[in-house]
């Protein structure tokens, strides 16, 4: 689909093109989102959006549809990846050369979908129950596509909830006392690489663990018999005996924060007495491990405690973790502490993908928008973890968008192809060529003749 070449000091992307289509690009035009083209290359290499075309039901009945369903999905997902979270941005994007190439088919010689077309696609066609169910499964299916190229041995699932503030009379919105705002309360499951395994939109006033099974069980089911080790981490909102029993039945290891109570405090009473002597200037940490059975549990389970004495503080900081791991108490705590990365992934989704932008009136339309945001987030995370050189390892999704996707370019037509000349501001020509090379390695080997 693409071939990196050189032309002076410019980074160049050459796209194979048919002559009759090329005539539509007479002269030269400018695009500000040329970095979407390598993202489209990654999409093509892993057959991500093509998967959606096989499973989404086309509810359109007319015979003169301008764009295929997969093209509309690409415009929704790639537009969000580029920072355009509202469908009214489509009226400008429909004429952008990079977006037209991303959408493909008729959009290349004409234009991408308009705002009204995108509005009908997201709020009417994707809102059908069968399409929303399919859309909810797509993030996991995309991750499976990646794992076909790079099979993992271990999967760590982190579950966490977040808030999406609402304004006006939006269906399903409610006041949440914990977040202190009127909002929706979506639930997410991430893996250790930051990919969204599954997510669900919920009313704003539900408990953090409400509906956990519908989100967690399909993610766990996809890994049955495919990975050697499966782990789960969650905060105190998920300290639920039903979750413990489910994970134990699945053979998954777990570390879940446990709310403190008097019985737990008494178990480690010897660690809660202030140490004798002058307080040191550094933090002192102590760990303990013991068996514990709450009244709602059907059996005793292992609990790990961490006690921290901080300089200048009168009382220690105490935390409890329920776990079925056999490793040392200190290693259990260290493993659980990495759960904080899930909160960072949520912040990235809010900042880079704007997945809190759920401004439709109906609940189901906002549920569709959340799933589209999740797909855009995963595409960006695949790009960052699979197709970017080592020098870009510290980049966040916001950096990826601002430095790569928002690269300006000039599109010049030639005899049988077009050349996209990219500005070398943040991504030099050598780096861009390396990106395309990494994507090429992800392509499935050709079928035997």
């Amino acid at each position: 689909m693409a071939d990196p070449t050189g032309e002076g000091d410019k980074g160049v992307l050459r796209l194979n093109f048919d002559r009759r289509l090329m005539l539509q690009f007479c002269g030269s035009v400018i695009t500000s989102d040329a970095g979407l083209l390598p993202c489209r290359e990654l999409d093509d290499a892993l057959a991500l959006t093509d998967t959606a075309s096989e499973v989404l039901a086309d509810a359109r009945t007319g015979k003169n549809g301008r764009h295929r369903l997969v093209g509309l999905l690409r415009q929704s997902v790639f537009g969000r990846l580029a920072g355009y979270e509202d469908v009214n941005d489509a009226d400008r994007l429909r004429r952008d050369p990079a977006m037209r190439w991303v959408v493909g088919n008729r959009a290349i010689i004409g234009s991408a979908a308009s705002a009204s077309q995108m509005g009908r696609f997201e709020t009417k066609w994707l809102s059908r129950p069968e399409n929303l169910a399919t859309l909810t499964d797509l993030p996991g299916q995309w991750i499976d596509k990646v794992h076909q190229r790079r099979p993992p041995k271990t999967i760590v699932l982190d579950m966490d909830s977040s808030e999406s503030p609402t304004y006006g009379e939006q269906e399903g919105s409610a006041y949440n006392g914990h977040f202190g705002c009127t909002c929706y309360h979506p639930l997410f499951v991430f893996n250790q690489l930051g990919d969204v395994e599954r997510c669900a939109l919920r009313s704003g006033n539900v408990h953090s663990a409400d509906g956990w099974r519908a989100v967690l069980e399909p993610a766990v089911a996809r890994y049955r018999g495919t990975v050697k080790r499966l782990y789960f981490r969650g905060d105190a909102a998920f300290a639920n005996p039903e979750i413990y029993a489910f994970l134990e039945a699945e053979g998954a290891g777990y570390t879940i924060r446990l709310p403190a109570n008097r019985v737990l405090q008494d178990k480690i009473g010897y660690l809660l007495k202030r140490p004798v002597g002058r307080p040191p200037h550094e933090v002192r940490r102590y760990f303990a491990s013991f068996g514990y059975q709450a009244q709602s549990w059907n059996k005793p389970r292992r609990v790990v405690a961490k006690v921290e004495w901080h300089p200048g503080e009168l009382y220690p900081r105490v935390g409890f973790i329920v776990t079925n791991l056999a490793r040392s108490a200190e290693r259990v705590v260290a493993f659980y502490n990495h759960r904080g990365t899930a909160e960072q992934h949520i912040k990235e989704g809010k900042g880079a993908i704007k997945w809190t932008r759920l401004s439709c009136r109906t609940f189901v339309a906002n549920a569709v928008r959340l799933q589209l945001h999740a797909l855009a987030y995963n595409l960006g995370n695949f790009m960052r973890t699979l197709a970017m050189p080592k020098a870009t390892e510290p980049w966040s999704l916001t950096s990826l968008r601002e430095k790569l996707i928002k690269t300006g370019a000039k599109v010049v037509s030639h005899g049988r192809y077009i050349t996209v000349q990219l500005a070398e501001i943040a991504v030099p020509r050598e780096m861009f060529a390396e990106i395309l090379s990494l994507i090429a390695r992800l392509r499935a080997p050709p079928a035997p003749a």
Side-chain angles (χ1 to χ4, degrees), residues 5 40 63 68 172 202 236 382:
T5 63
R40 177 68 183 95
K63 298 181 179 179
R68 295 182 301 162
R202 305 175 301 175
F382 294 158

Side-chain angles (χ1 to χ4, degrees), residues 44-81:
D44 185 64
L46 298 174
L48 300 178
T49 52
D50 288 340
T51 302
S53 67
E54 301 169 0
V55 293
L56 286 174
D58 196 341
R60 296 174 292 179
T61 56
K63 298 181 179 179
N64 59 345
R66 292 180 55 84
H67 303 289
R68 295 182 301 162
L69 209 63
V70 66
L72 296 173
L73 180 67
R74 286 176 189 148
Q75 187 168 341
S76 287
V77 172
F78 281 79
R80 284 169 167 80
L81 182 59

Side-chain angles (χ1 to χ4, degrees), residues 28-43:
S28 61
V29 292
I30 304 298
T31 175
S32 61
D33 296 314
L36 288 177
L37 296 176
C39 295
R40 177 68 183 95
E41 281 289 301
L42 179 65
D43 170 36

Side-chain angles (χ1 to χ4, degrees), residues 266-288:
D266 291 343
K267 290 275 189 179
I268 58 168
Y270 64 97
L271 295 178
L272 301 182
K273 298 178 181 178
R274 175 171 289 277
V276 178
R278 185 183 298 274
H281 296 290
E282 68 278 356
V283 178
R284 287 184 291 186
R285 295 181 180 87
Y286 303 94
F287 301 90

Side-chain angles (χ1 to χ4, degrees), residues 53-334:
S53 67
E54 301 169 0
V55 293
L56 286 174
D58 196 341
R60 296 174 292 179
T61 56
K63 298 181 179 179
N64 59 345
R66 292 180 55 84
H67 303 289
R68 295 182 301 162
L69 209 63
V70 66
L72 296 173
L73 180 67
R74 286 176 189 148
Q75 187 168 341
S76 287
V77 172
F78 281 79
R80 284 169 167 80
L81 182 59
Y84 306 106
E85 67 273 12
D86 286 321
V87 296
N88 55 10
D89 295 311
D91 280 335
R92 183 180 69 80
L93 289 175
R94 65 185 304 202
R95 296 178 175 84
D96 185 89
M99 182 58 71
R100 288 160 63 185
W101 182 265
V102 163
V103 173
N105 204 27
R106 293 185 181 182
I108 297 176
I109 60 175
S111 63
S114 65
S116 59
Q117 289 173 311
M118 293 305 300
R120 287 193 299 273
F121 170 67
E122 294 186 8
T123 61
K124 182 179 179 181
W125 303 330
L126 291 184
S127 295
R128 292 167 63 94
E130 64 272 23
N131 278 341
L132 179 55
T134 299
L135 203 61
T136 304
D137 291 334
L138 271 182
Q141 293 177 11
W142 283 17
I143 293 171
D144 290 342
K145 290 279 189 180
V146 173
H147 291 171
Q148 288 175 8
R149 307 292 196 276
R150 298 184 177 180
K153 294 182 179 179
T154 300
I155 290 293
V156 182
L157 300 178
D158 293 310
M159 179 175 274
D160 206 352
S161 65
S162 180
E163 92 286 1
S164 293
T166 56
Y167 307 93
E169 298 297 326
Q170 290 175 257
E171 185 180 9
S173 66
Y175 183 79
N176 187 296
H178 175 75
F179 297 111
C181 65
T182 302
C183 61
Y184 290 123
H185 193 186
L187 184 63
F188 297 90
V189 175
F190 297 89
N191 61 29
Q192 71 268 32
L193 297 177
D195 307 320
V196 175
E197 293 277 351
R198 198 173 181 89
C199 63
L201 189 66
R202 305 175 301 175
S203 180
N205 58 355
V206 300
H207 185 268
S208 294
D210 187 74
W212 65 268
R213 186 180 291 273
V215 178
L216 180 60
E217 189 168 13
V220 172
R222 290 185 14 252
Y223 293 112
R224 287 177 187 149
T226 62
V227 294
K228 292 184 177 180
R229 292 176 294 275
L230 180 65
Y231 299 101
F232 174 86
R233 294 183 294 219
D235 62 18
F238 304 98
N240 184 326
E242 293 182 0
I243 296 180
Y244 309 152
F246 167 75
L247 294 170
E248 289 163 357
E250 293 288 343
Y254 61 84
T255 57
I256 301 173
R257 190 173 182 88
L258 197 61
N261 59 45
R262 175 58 60 186
V263 176
L264 293 175
Q265 298 273 5
D266 291 343
K267 290 275 189 179
I268 58 168
Y270 64 97
L271 295 178
L272 301 182
K273 298 178 181 178
R274 175 171 289 277
V276 178
R278 185 183 298 274
H281 296 290
E282 68 278 356
V283 178
R284 287 184 291 186
R285 295 181 180 87
Y286 303 94
F287 301 90
S289 177
F290 53 89
Y292 170 74
Q293 181 176 1
Q295 290 183 355
S296 59
W297 298 3
N298 60 356
K299 64 178 182 180
R301 292 181 170 91
R302 183 189 183 199
V303 173
V304 169
K306 181 182 74 168
V307 178
E308 290 185 342
W309 290 93
H310 287 251
E313 295 185 6
L314 184 60
Y315 298 104
R317 303 180 188 180
V318 183
F320 299 96
I321 298 170
V322 59
T323 182
N324 63 348
L325 301 183
R327 60 188 69 176
S328 68
E330 190 169 356
R331 290 183 60 204
V332 167
V333 172

